[in-house]
Amino acid sequence: MWQAIRRWFDPQEMRTVGTRPDYRFSLANERTFLAWLRTGLALIAGGLAAAQFLPPLPLAHLREVIAIALLLLGGTVAIRAVDHWARTERAIRLGEDLPASRFPAVLALVVGLGAALLVVAVLARAVGNG
């Protein structure tokens, strides 16, 4: 695990693995990394917005739970992005199959479940005020 983390911060070590690929593949991998990083930042921004701007919800501390969940999810996405970038770059340089990942499916399920829970909270609030 620590060796993988060390690779994130050592671009020279990455360049010594395998052969130099067509730069377009490395740039495409980097664009994918940046897209994941933007997703992580958006989740973090959503967590901060939830903490600051959501009114109190019908369930005690639900607003804080939503904010913390979004912040943790955003941090997880950012860390997962750099790990996937490094593993993909290594696979490209070694001519191996790209690493498979369940993370996009898990992230989609978590976001979908979170949205469903928010719909329930909004409906509960609407019924409580009506």
Side-chain angles (χ1 to χ4, degrees):
M1 178 176 153
W2 292 111
Q3 185 177 8
I5 292 172
R6 185 180 57 77
R7 283 188 201 130
W8 300 349
F9 298 100
D10 189 3
Q12 283 303 78
E13 189 272 339
M14 180 68 71
R15 290 182 175 169
T16 63
V17 173
T19 59
R20 181 177 20 196
D22 183 333
Y23 70 91
R24 292 174 292 181
F25 296 118
S26 291
L27 292 174
N29 186 33
E30 188 171 313
R31 284 191 302 274
T32 301
F33 163 71
L34 292 172
W36 278 104
L37 199 54
R38 284 190 302 272
T39 301
L41 288 170
L43 289 165
I44 291 169
L48 292 173
Q52 289 296 312
F53 302 117
L54 273 181
L57 297 172
L59 298 171
H61 303 291
L62 180 58
R63 176 179 60 187
E64 290 80 10
V65 168
I66 292 168
I68 289 169
L70 288 170
L71 291 167
L72 290 173
L73 188 58
T76 301
V77 167
I79 290 170
R80 182 66 180 95
V82 72
D83 180 61
H84 188 73
W85 169 82
R87 291 184 311 119
T88 300
E89 192 66 26
R90 185 175 180 83
I92 289 169
R93 294 184 71 81
L94 293 172
E96 297 174 346
D97 288 340
L98 296 180
S101 177
R102 290 186 183 102
F103 189 74
V106 170
L107 179 62
L109 288 174
V110 169
V111 169
L113 180 61
L117 291 173
L118 286 172
V119 167
V120 170
V122 168
L123 291 174
R125 183 167 184 197
V127 169
N129 288 338

